[in-house]
Amino acid sequence: MTQFNSISDLARSYQLRLSQTAIKSRLSAIWQEATTGIKSDIPQALRGDLNRISQIENRLTTLKDYSNNLSEAQGVLSAMQTALGSIQSIVSETGTVLMSDAIVASPATLGVYLDKAPADLKTALNALNTSVGGRFVFSGSRTDQPAMVSYDDLLSDLTTAIGGATSVSGVIAAIDTFFDAPAGGGGFSDQAFTGNDQGNFSIAISPGRNVEPKITGNSTELRTVLKGLATMAYLAQNDTLDHETRREISRQAGRMMVEGEMQMTSARTVLGVQQEAAAKAQTTNEAESSALALARNTLIAADPYEAAAAMSELESNLETLYAVTARLSKLSLTDYL
């Protein structure tokens, strides 16, 4: 008696579906490798040893965070340099001129500089209220609010501080007292500066290195410059003083501007050093990131040629399976007999 080894139609259909699913799954994995360039099964590619790849990935994540911080730091430092540059351009042009007897001796010529004094002070205040990404860069650690009050508020506070003084010495002494008073003394630091000098903000740009711009709207160099600009703005709105008094006070304002400008040059140099440090840190971090990315690819990168060959083979297998399935589906008892 002849024996036949066969499987039922249901079992055959199930077996074909399993084969089809397996081929599709493998084809999907190979397609992923071909398009991403990364092994679809990393644990298998590394034989279960994930320690090294984990260390590389963690370090790359850290470097990415540093890269984001560097972008922020460079934006802040650049904004500070630009703001200080705009203020310095005003005082460098005006300060020396006001110290010249020949210039301030003429009421008409002095009047030209007094007319532009309010705009100069407003420009300086706006520059010190510069913000980058919602961070007010001259507010110290209180970066969520502007560093300075408005022009009108500053002039009002200064006018109150000067009171009824009309002599050169009296006006200058009152101005000095207002701008030089320490925090808590009721002067500029309390009324005009709205930031915080207690703890400047810090941005980590690489392991063990932070960018800490220490200059604020209350720094000595800026208070000195603002003192000179505010003195001129005060004179511009006060027409009760005689020309000789206005001339001498203007000369003192020019001296304040020149003194503050020299201090600002030093402050901008410090910012420049920090910008250079940030640029070097960026170069170092980018080099390390590139090296780590190369090491990661060495561990988990898929061979594009192997992936292409495997994909071609699997596509052929899948087509063959479809052909066999179609052929079997057309079989009948009559054809079999």
Side-chain angles (χ1 to χ4, degrees):
M1 181 177 179
T2 305
Q3 293 183 349
F4 295 92
N5 294 321
S6 64
I7 59 176
S8 67
D9 290 344
L10 181 61
R12 181 182 293 112
S13 175
Y14 178 69
Q15 185 177 29
L16 289 174
R17 283 200 302 270
L18 285 179
S19 298
Q20 180 180 339
T21 301
I23 292 175
K24 284 185 174 181
S25 177
R26 180 58 183 154
L27 186 60
S28 176
I30 294 298
W31 175 257
Q32 177 184 335
E33 291 184 1
T35 54
T36 65
I38 298 175
K39 291 286 187 181
S40 59
D41 191 341
I42 293 177
Q44 181 181 8
L46 298 178
R47 299 178 181 178
D49 184 7
L50 300 179
N51 183 56
R52 186 178 178 190
I53 191 67
S54 294
Q55 291 178 344
I56 291 175
E57 294 288 359
N58 289 339
R59 182 58 180 166
L60 283 172
T61 299
T62 300
L63 289 173
K64 184 177 180 180
D65 291 338
Y66 283 136
S67 178
N68 293 335
N69 289 351
L70 273 166
S71 296
E72 180 184 4
Q74 289 173 324
V76 167
L77 293 173
S78 177
M80 295 180 84
Q81 283 282 22
T82 300
L84 294 182
S86 67
I87 296 174
Q88 192 167 20
S89 66
I90 293 173
V91 296
S92 64
E93 174 186 345
T94 306
T96 304
V97 172
L98 292 177
M99 294 179 66
S100 169
D101 286 327
I103 296 295
V104 296
S106 167
T109 305
L110 178 58
V112 171
Y113 288 93
L114 290 176
D115 287 342
K116 68 188 285 290
D120 287 345
L121 179 57
K122 289 176 182 178
T123 298
L125 293 175
N126 289 335
L128 294 180
N129 283 335
T130 295
S131 66
V132 176
R135 180 196 294 270
F136 290 92
V137 299
F138 290 101
S139 295
S141 61
R142 195 174 293 166
T143 58
D144 59 338
Q145 63 185 49
M148 309 303 301
V149 297
S150 68
Y151 168 87
D152 290 334
D153 287 342
L154 176 57
L155 260 293
S156 175
D157 292 336
L158 182 60
T159 301
T160 300
I162 294 174
T166 57
S167 66
V168 173
S169 60
V171 171
I172 294 299
I175 293 174
D176 285 340
T177 298
F178 176 77
F179 275 93
D180 298 341
F188 176 89
S189 297
D190 300 318
Q191 299 182 40
F193 178 62
T194 58
N196 181 12
D197 281 328
Q198 302 303 314
N200 297 295
F201 68 88
S202 176
I203 304 174
I205 60 174
S206 66
R209 174 173 290 181
N210 294 357
V211 166
E212 298 179 337
K214 295 185 180 301
I215 186 170
T216 72
N218 197 39
S219 296
T220 302
E221 53 268 35
L222 289 176
R223 277 192 288 113
T224 303
V225 166
L226 290 176
K227 185 194 298 187
L229 293 174
T231 298
M232 290 297 292
Y234 169 77
L235 288 179
Q237 72 174 20
N238 188 320
D239 56 4
T240 61
L241 300 176
D242 60 65
H243 174 67
E244 291 301 318
T245 301
R246 290 157 67 89
R247 182 185 70 177
E248 184 55 35
I249 293 176
S250 296
R251 282 170 49 83
Q252 293 297 320
R255 176 187 57 78
M256 298 169 192
M257 293 183 198
V258 171
E259 180 183 344
E261 183 198 358
M262 291 188 293
Q263 295 173 343
M264 282 183 65
T265 299
S266 298
R268 295 187 67 190
T269 299
V270 172
L271 287 178
V273 171
Q274 292 180 323
Q275 285 179 297
E276 183 180 4
K280 288 182 178 179
Q282 183 176 34
T283 300
T284 301
N285 291 350
E286 287 176 351
E288 185 179 355
S289 294
S290 297
L292 288 173
L294 182 61
R296 179 184 61 184
N297 290 340
T298 301
L299 293 174
I300 63 175
D303 188 325
Y305 299 104
E306 286 185 6
M311 186 180 300
S312 179
E313 180 182 354
L314 287 170
E315 288 176 344
S316 177
N317 292 343
L318 190 58
E319 290 173 0
T320 301
L321 181 62
Y322 284 151
V324 170
T325 302
R327 178 63 178 165
L328 290 175
S329 67
K330 293 179 181 179
L331 288 178
S332 66
L333 179 59
T334 301
D335 293 334
Y336 179 73
L337 293 175

